[in-house]
Each structure stands twice: as C-alpha cells, then as structure tokens.
Amino acid sequence: MNFVRIGPHDGKLFDSLMKKDNYSFVKFYSPTCFHCNEMAPQWDALQHVKKPGMKKNFNIIDVHVGAIPNIKSECSKNIVSVPTIMEVKPGGIPGRQYNGPRTLPGFLKFINHTLSQRKKKTRRVKPMRTKKTRRVKPMRTKKSRRANN
C-alpha cells in the first residue's frame, strides 16, 4: 500500500501513477474545506495501517484541488465538490465512489471490500442448454426388411 500526496502542481505525477496496473483509493480535497479538514486525521491514519491479508499493490492518494486542471486521467473530469473519495481503476478510470462514514474503520471496510478483492474476474461460462430432441428411428425400406428376414 503506497500513500501518495499530490500537491497543487503535481498533476503529471498523478497521471504517471495511473499508468501502472494498481487500483487506487483517491481523495480529492481542498485545504479550505471544513469537511476535508475534519476528516484529514482519519484519512492520514490510513498510511500507518498494517493489516494482515491486505493487498499491498494499491495506492492511497491525496489530491489537492489545484492539481485537478493538470490531471489528464478520466477520473478527475467529473469532480464537482470536495471531498470526493473514489476508487480509481488502472488507467485512471473512475470506479465506485465512496459515500460511507468519513472514519478510518469506514475507509478500511471500503478498501477491504472493493480494492483488496480486485482480481481478474473470470466469468464462468455455462454450457448452452439445448432442447431435448426425440431420437428418430431410421425408416425401414423394403430392401432393408428383406435383408433382415
């Protein structure tokens, strides 16, 4: 688990992180926002969490609102308010938005259920169901009757 802070002039750093194959848990914030400042200690506590069984190949990213215009990744295009917290898939594709409690246990629950469970999903293909057809007996002709008798 990598904890990264993106400052107001570090939009290119964010885009370079999105080019890797790691999922990310991202918070877009403003230092003047009351709600952002209120949850900052809970968010910062994520960098010190070492839980057994938690995947290590994902990022926790803090993005200053000033960096959003410089970010080319798709996930930053629809940020309308702060704080916005979301899962970001590899390539900068937006994933699930976090709407839970702004507490450390809430963040960890989201990470465990969303980011830590990410695997290459293989869909199990069910065989096609076919209609049962009645077996048709071959027609007996006069020649086949004579041969059997």
Side-chain angles (χ1 to χ4, degrees):
M1 174 168 67
N2 301 319
F3 195 88
V4 181
R5 293 190 191 276
I6 305 294
H9 306 290
D10 297 333
K12 291 181 181 180
L13 173 61
F14 183 84
D15 288 330
S16 69
L17 289 170
M18 294 300 110
K19 290 181 181 176
K20 298 179 181 175
D21 289 337
N22 295 343
Y23 283 82
S24 300
F25 188 42
V26 180
K27 175 183 83 167
F28 295 93
Y29 76 98
S30 172
T32 59
C33 168
F34 171 79
H35 299 289
C36 297
N37 291 328
E38 182 94 358
M39 67 179 255
Q42 298 291 316
W43 182 265
D44 292 340
L46 283 172
Q47 67 184 326
H48 303 295
V49 172
K50 304 287 186 215
K51 281 184 101 175
M54 186 180 277
K55 272 192 169 180
K56 295 178 183 176
N57 61 346
F58 68 91
N59 300 314
I60 295 176
I61 304 175
D62 217 20
V63 181
H64 189 284
V65 73
I68 293 174
N70 300 325
I71 295 174
K72 292 183 175 44
S73 298
E74 185 182 334
C75 65
S76 69
K77 302 304 177 209
N78 296 319
I79 305 299
V80 292
S81 65
V82 290
T84 297
I85 304 169
M86 67 171 57
E87 164 199 22
V88 178
K89 299 175 183 177
I93 299 166
R96 290 181 51 204
Q97 189 158 346
Y98 178 75
N99 294 315
R102 308 289 167 94
T103 61
L104 181 61
F107 296 145
L108 290 173
K109 183 176 179 183
F110 183 82
I111 289 169
N112 287 329
H113 289 290
T114 305
L115 299 175
S116 293
Q117 302 297 322
R118 291 291 181 189
K119 295 177 185 173
K120 290 186 179 180
K121 291 185 178 180
T122 55
R123 294 181 75 189
R124 190 174 145 212
V125 179
K126 294 181 180 178
M128 286 181 51
R129 295 182 80 184
T130 58
K131 290 183 180 179
K132 290 186 176 181
T133 55
R134 200 169 39 146
R135 188 173 176 177
V136 180
K137 294 181 180 178
M139 288 183 54
R140 296 182 84 185
T141 60
K142 287 182 184 179
K143 288 182 182 177
S144 63
R145 281 187 218 148
R146 285 185 200 149
N148 289 339
N149 292 336

Coordinates of all heavy atoms in Angstrom, one line a residue, residues 76-128:
S76 N -10.7 12.5 -13.0 CA -10.8 13.9 -12.4 C -11.7 14.8 -13.2 O -11.9 15.9 -12.8 CB -9.4 14.5 -12.5 OG -9.0 14.7 -13.8
K77 N -12.4 14.3 -14.2 CA -13.2 15.1 -15.1 C -14.5 15.5 -14.5 O -15.1 16.5 -14.8 CB -13.4 14.4 -16.4 CG -12.2 14.1 -17.2 CD -11.3 15.3 -17.4 CE -10.0 14.9 -18.1 NZ -8.9 15.7 -17.8
N78 N -15.1 14.7 -13.6 CA -16.4 15.0 -13.0 C -16.4 15.3 -11.5 O -17.4 15.0 -10.8 CB -17.3 13.8 -13.3 CG -17.5 13.6 -14.7 OD1 -17.7 14.5 -15.5 ND2 -17.5 12.4 -15.2
I79 N -15.3 15.9 -11.0 CA -15.2 16.3 -9.6 C -16.0 17.6 -9.5 O -15.6 18.6 -10.0 CB -13.8 16.4 -9.2 CG1 -13.0 15.2 -9.4 CG2 -13.7 16.8 -7.7 CD1 -13.5 14.0 -8.7
V80 N -17.1 17.6 -8.8 CA -17.9 18.8 -8.6 C -17.9 19.4 -7.2 O -18.2 20.5 -7.0 CB -19.4 18.5 -9.1 CG1 -19.5 18.3 -10.6 CG2 -20.0 17.4 -8.3
S81 N -17.5 18.5 -6.3 CA -17.4 19.0 -4.9 C -16.3 18.3 -4.2 O -15.8 17.3 -4.6 CB -18.7 18.8 -4.1 OG -19.0 17.4 -4.0
V82 N -15.8 18.9 -3.1 CA -14.8 18.2 -2.3 C -15.3 18.1 -0.9 O -16.2 18.9 -0.4 CB -13.5 19.1 -2.3 CG1 -12.8 19.0 -3.6 CG2 -13.7 20.5 -1.8
P83 N -15.0 17.1 -0.1 CA -14.1 16.0 -0.6 C -14.9 15.0 -1.4 O -16.0 14.7 -1.2 CB -13.7 15.3 0.8 CG -14.8 15.6 1.7 CD -15.4 16.9 1.3
T84 N -14.2 14.5 -2.5 CA -14.7 13.4 -3.3 C -13.7 12.3 -3.1 O -12.5 12.4 -3.3 CB -14.8 13.8 -4.8 OG1 -15.7 14.9 -4.9 CG2 -15.2 12.6 -5.6
I85 N -14.3 11.1 -2.7 CA -13.4 9.9 -2.4 C -13.9 8.8 -3.3 O -15.1 8.6 -3.4 CB -13.5 9.5 -1.0 CG1 -13.2 10.7 -0.1 CG2 -12.7 8.3 -0.7 CD1 -13.5 10.4 1.4
M86 N -13.0 8.2 -4.0 CA -13.4 7.2 -5.0 C -12.3 6.1 -5.2 O -11.2 6.3 -4.9 CB -13.8 7.8 -6.3 CG -12.6 8.4 -7.1 SD -13.0 9.0 -8.8 CE -14.3 10.1 -8.6
E87 N -12.8 5.0 -5.8 CA -11.9 4.0 -6.3 C -11.5 4.4 -7.7 O -12.3 4.9 -8.5 CB -12.6 2.7 -6.3 CG -11.9 1.6 -7.2 CD -12.8 0.5 -7.6 OE1 -14.1 0.6 -7.6 OE2 -12.3 -0.6 -7.9
V88 N -10.2 4.3 -8.0 CA -9.8 4.6 -9.4 C -9.1 3.4 -9.9 O -8.2 2.8 -9.3 CB -8.8 5.8 -9.4 CG1 -8.3 6.1 -10.9 CG2 -9.5 7.1 -8.9
K89 N -9.6 2.9 -11.1 CA -9.0 1.7 -11.7 C -7.8 2.0 -12.5 O -7.5 3.2 -12.8 CB -10.1 1.1 -12.6 CG -11.4 0.7 -11.9 CD -12.4 0.2 -12.8 CE -13.7 -0.1 -12.0 NZ -14.8 -0.5 -12.9
P90 N -7.0 1.0 -12.8 CA -5.8 1.2 -13.6 C -6.1 2.0 -14.9 O -7.2 1.7 -15.5 CB -5.3 -0.2 -13.9 CG -5.8 -1.0 -12.8 CD -7.1 -0.4 -12.4
G91 N -5.3 2.9 -15.2 CA -5.6 3.7 -16.4 C -6.3 5.0 -16.1 O -6.6 5.8 -17.0
G92 N -6.6 5.3 -14.8 CA -7.3 6.5 -14.4 C -8.8 6.4 -14.6 O -9.5 7.5 -14.6
I93 N -9.4 5.2 -14.8 CA -10.8 5.1 -15.0 C -11.5 5.1 -13.6 O -11.1 4.4 -12.7 CB -11.1 3.7 -15.7 CG1 -10.4 3.7 -17.0 CG2 -12.6 3.5 -15.8 CD1 -10.3 2.4 -17.7
P94 N -12.5 6.0 -13.5 CA -13.2 6.1 -12.2 C -14.0 4.8 -11.9 O -14.5 4.1 -12.8 CB -14.2 7.2 -12.4 CG -14.4 7.4 -13.9 CD -13.1 6.9 -14.5
G95 N -13.9 4.4 -10.6 CA -14.6 3.3 -10.2 C -15.8 3.7 -9.2 O -16.4 4.7 -9.4
R96 N -16.0 2.9 -8.2 CA -17.0 3.2 -7.2 C -16.7 4.4 -6.4 O -15.5 4.6 -6.0 CB -17.2 2.0 -6.3 CG -17.8 0.8 -6.9 CD -18.0 -0.3 -6.0 NE -18.7 0.1 -4.8 CZ -18.7 -0.6 -3.7 NH1 -17.9 -1.6 -3.5 NH2 -19.4 -0.1 -2.6
Q97 N -17.7 5.3 -6.2 CA -17.5 6.4 -5.3 C -17.8 6.0 -3.9 O -18.7 5.3 -3.6 CB -18.4 7.6 -5.7 CG -18.0 8.9 -5.0 CD -18.5 10.1 -5.8 OE1 -18.9 10.0 -6.9 NE2 -18.5 11.2 -5.1
Y98 N -17.0 6.5 -2.9 CA -17.1 6.2 -1.5 C -18.1 7.2 -0.9 O -17.9 8.5 -1.0 CB -15.8 6.3 -0.8 CG -15.9 6.1 0.7 CD1 -16.1 4.8 1.2 CD2 -15.9 7.1 1.6 CE1 -16.2 4.5 2.5 CE2 -16.0 6.9 2.9 CZ -16.2 5.6 3.4 OH -16.3 5.3 4.7
N99 N -19.2 6.7 -0.3 CA -20.2 7.6 0.3 C -20.4 7.2 1.8 O -21.4 7.6 2.4 CB -21.5 7.5 -0.4 CG -21.4 8.1 -1.8 OD1 -20.8 9.2 -2.0 ND2 -21.9 7.4 -2.8
G100 N -19.5 6.4 2.3 CA -19.7 5.9 3.7 C -19.2 7.0 4.7 O -18.9 8.1 4.4
P101 N -19.1 6.5 6.0 CA -18.6 7.4 7.0 C -17.2 7.8 6.8 O -16.4 7.0 6.3 CB -18.8 6.6 8.3 CG -18.9 5.2 7.9 CD -19.4 5.2 6.5
R102 N -16.9 9.0 7.1 CA -15.5 9.6 6.9 C -14.6 9.3 8.1 O -14.1 10.1 8.8 CB -15.6 11.1 6.7 CG -16.6 11.5 5.6 CD -16.1 11.1 4.2 NE -17.1 11.2 3.2 CZ -17.3 12.3 2.4 NH1 -16.6 13.3 2.5 NH2 -18.2 12.2 1.4
T103 N -14.5 8.0 8.4 CA -13.7 7.5 9.5 C -12.8 6.4 9.0 O -13.0 5.8 8.0 CB -14.6 6.9 10.6 OG1 -15.4 5.8 10.1 CG2 -15.6 7.9 11.1
L104 N -11.8 6.1 9.8 CA -10.8 5.1 9.5 C -11.4 3.7 9.3 O -11.2 3.1 8.3 CB -9.7 5.0 10.5 CG -8.6 4.0 10.3 CD1 -7.8 4.3 9.0 CD2 -7.6 4.0 11.5
P105 N -12.3 3.3 10.2 CA -13.0 2.0 10.0 C -13.8 2.0 8.7 O -13.9 0.9 8.0 CB -13.9 1.8 11.2 CG -13.3 2.7 12.3 CD -12.7 3.8 11.6
G106 N -14.5 3.1 8.4 CA -15.2 3.1 7.1 C -14.4 3.0 5.9 O -14.7 2.3 5.0
F107 N -13.2 3.7 5.9 CA -12.3 3.6 4.8 C -11.7 2.2 4.7 O -11.6 1.7 3.6 CB -11.1 4.6 5.0 CG -11.5 6.1 5.0 CD1 -10.8 7.0 5.9 CD2 -12.5 6.6 4.3 CE1 -11.1 8.3 5.9 CE2 -12.9 7.9 4.3 CZ -12.2 8.8 5.1
L108 N -11.4 1.6 5.8 CA -10.8 0.3 5.7 C -11.8 -0.8 5.2 O -11.5 -1.7 4.5 CB -10.3 -0.2 7.1 CG -9.0 0.6 7.6 CD1 -8.7 0.2 9.0 CD2 -7.9 0.3 6.7
K109 N -13.1 -0.6 5.6 CA -14.1 -1.5 5.1 C -14.2 -1.4 3.6 O -14.3 -2.4 2.9 CB -15.4 -1.2 5.8 CG -16.6 -2.1 5.5 CD -17.8 -1.8 6.2 CE -18.9 -2.7 5.9 NZ -20.2 -2.4 6.5
F110 N -14.2 -0.2 3.1 CA -14.3 0.0 1.7 C -13.1 -0.6 0.9 O -13.3 -1.2 -0.1 CB -14.4 1.5 1.4 CG -14.6 1.9 -0.1 CD1 -15.8 1.8 -0.7 CD2 -13.5 2.2 -0.9 CE1 -16.0 2.1 -2.0 CE2 -13.6 2.5 -2.2 CZ -14.9 2.5 -2.8
I111 N -11.9 -0.3 1.5 CA -10.7 -0.9 0.9 C -10.8 -2.4 0.9 O -10.5 -3.0 -0.1 CB -9.5 -0.4 1.7 CG1 -9.2 1.1 1.4 CG2 -8.2 -1.2 1.3 CD1 -8.2 1.7 2.3
N112 N -11.2 -3.0 2.0 CA -11.2 -4.5 2.1 C -12.3 -5.1 1.1 O -12.0 -6.1 0.6 CB -11.5 -4.9 3.5 CG -10.3 -4.7 4.4 OD1 -9.2 -4.8 3.9 ND2 -10.6 -4.5 5.7
H113 N -13.4 -4.4 1.0 CA -14.4 -5.0 0.1 C -14.3 -4.6 -1.3 O -14.8 -5.3 -2.2 CB -15.8 -4.5 0.6 CG -16.2 -5.2 1.9 ND1 -16.5 -6.5 2.0 CD2 -16.3 -4.7 3.2 CE1 -16.8 -6.9 3.2 NE2 -16.6 -5.8 4.0
T114 N -13.6 -3.5 -1.6 CA -13.5 -3.1 -3.0 C -12.1 -3.3 -3.6 O -12.0 -4.0 -4.6 CB -13.9 -1.6 -3.1 OG1 -15.2 -1.4 -2.6 CG2 -13.9 -1.1 -4.6
L115 N -11.1 -2.7 -3.0 CA -9.8 -2.7 -3.6 C -9.1 -4.0 -3.3 O -8.4 -4.5 -4.2 CB -9.0 -1.5 -3.0 CG -9.5 -0.1 -3.4 CD1 -8.6 0.9 -2.7 CD2 -9.5 0.1 -4.8
S116 N -9.2 -4.5 -2.1 CA -8.4 -5.7 -1.8 C -9.0 -7.0 -2.5 O -8.3 -8.0 -2.6 CB -8.4 -6.0 -0.3 OG -7.7 -5.0 0.3
Q117 N -10.3 -6.9 -2.9 CA -10.9 -8.0 -3.5 C -10.7 -8.1 -5.0 O -11.1 -9.0 -5.7 CB -12.4 -8.0 -3.2 CG -12.7 -8.1 -1.7 CD -12.2 -9.3 -1.1 OE1 -12.3 -10.4 -1.6 NE2 -11.7 -9.2 0.2
R118 N -10.1 -7.0 -5.6 CA -10.0 -6.9 -7.0 C -9.0 -8.0 -7.5 O -7.9 -8.1 -7.1 CB -9.4 -5.5 -7.4 CG -10.4 -4.4 -7.2 CD -11.5 -4.6 -8.2 NE -12.4 -3.4 -7.9 CZ -13.6 -3.4 -8.5 NH1 -14.0 -4.3 -9.3 NH2 -14.4 -2.3 -8.3
K119 N -9.5 -8.8 -8.4 CA -8.8 -9.8 -9.1 C -9.2 -9.8 -10.5 O -10.3 -9.2 -10.8 CB -9.0 -11.2 -8.5 CG -8.6 -11.3 -7.1 CD -9.0 -12.7 -6.6 CE -8.6 -12.8 -5.1 NZ -9.1 -14.1 -4.5
K120 N -8.5 -10.4 -11.4 CA -9.0 -10.6 -12.7 C -10.2 -11.5 -12.6 O -10.0 -12.7 -12.3 CB -7.9 -11.1 -13.7 CG -6.9 -10.1 -13.9 CD -5.9 -10.6 -15.0 CE -4.9 -9.5 -15.2 NZ -3.9 -9.9 -16.2
K121 N -11.3 -11.0 -12.9 CA -12.5 -11.8 -12.8 C -12.7 -12.6 -14.0 O -12.7 -12.1 -15.2 CB -13.8 -10.9 -12.6 CG -13.8 -10.3 -11.2 CD -15.1 -9.5 -11.1 CE -15.1 -8.9 -9.7 NZ -16.3 -8.1 -9.4
T122 N -12.8 -13.9 -13.8 CA -13.0 -14.8 -15.0 C -14.5 -15.2 -14.8 O -14.9 -15.7 -13.8 CB -12.1 -16.0 -15.0 OG1 -12.2 -16.7 -13.7 CG2 -10.7 -15.6 -15.2
R123 N -15.2 -15.0 -15.9 CA -16.6 -15.4 -15.9 C -16.7 -16.9 -16.2 O -16.1 -17.4 -17.1 CB -17.4 -14.6 -16.9 CG -17.4 -13.1 -16.5 CD -18.2 -12.4 -17.5 NE -19.6 -12.6 -17.3 CZ -20.6 -12.2 -18.1 NH1 -20.3 -11.6 -19.2 NH2 -21.8 -12.5 -17.8
R124 N -17.5 -17.6 -15.4 CA -17.7 -19.0 -15.7 C -18.8 -19.1 -16.7 O -19.9 -18.6 -16.6 CB -18.2 -19.7 -14.4 CG -18.2 -21.1 -14.5 CD -18.5 -21.7 -13.2 NE -19.4 -22.9 -13.4 CZ -20.3 -23.3 -12.7 NH1 -20.5 -22.7 -11.5 NH2 -21.0 -24.4 -13.0
V125 N -18.5 -19.7 -17.8 CA -19.4 -19.8 -18.9 C -20.2 -21.1 -18.7 O -19.7 -22.2 -18.6 CB -18.6 -19.8 -20.3 CG1 -19.6 -20.0 -21.4 CG2 -17.8 -18.6 -20.4
K126 N -21.5 -20.9 -18.7 CA -22.4 -22.0 -18.6 C -22.6 -22.6 -20.0 O -22.7 -21.9 -20.9 CB -23.7 -21.6 -18.0 CG -23.6 -21.2 -16.6 CD -25.0 -20.8 -16.0 CE -24.9 -20.3 -14.6 NZ -26.2 -19.9 -14.1
P127 N -22.7 -24.0 -20.1 CA -22.9 -24.5 -21.4 C -24.3 -24.2 -21.8 O -25.2 -24.0 -21.0 CB -22.8 -26.1 -21.1 CG -22.9 -26.2 -19.6 CD -22.5 -24.9 -19.0
M128 N -24.5 -24.1 -23.1 CA -25.8 -23.7 -23.7 C -26.8 -24.9 -23.4 O -26.4 -26.1 -23.6 CB -25.7 -23.5 -25.2 CG -25.0 -22.1 -25.5 SD -24.9 -21.8 -27.2 CE -26.6 -22.1 -27.8

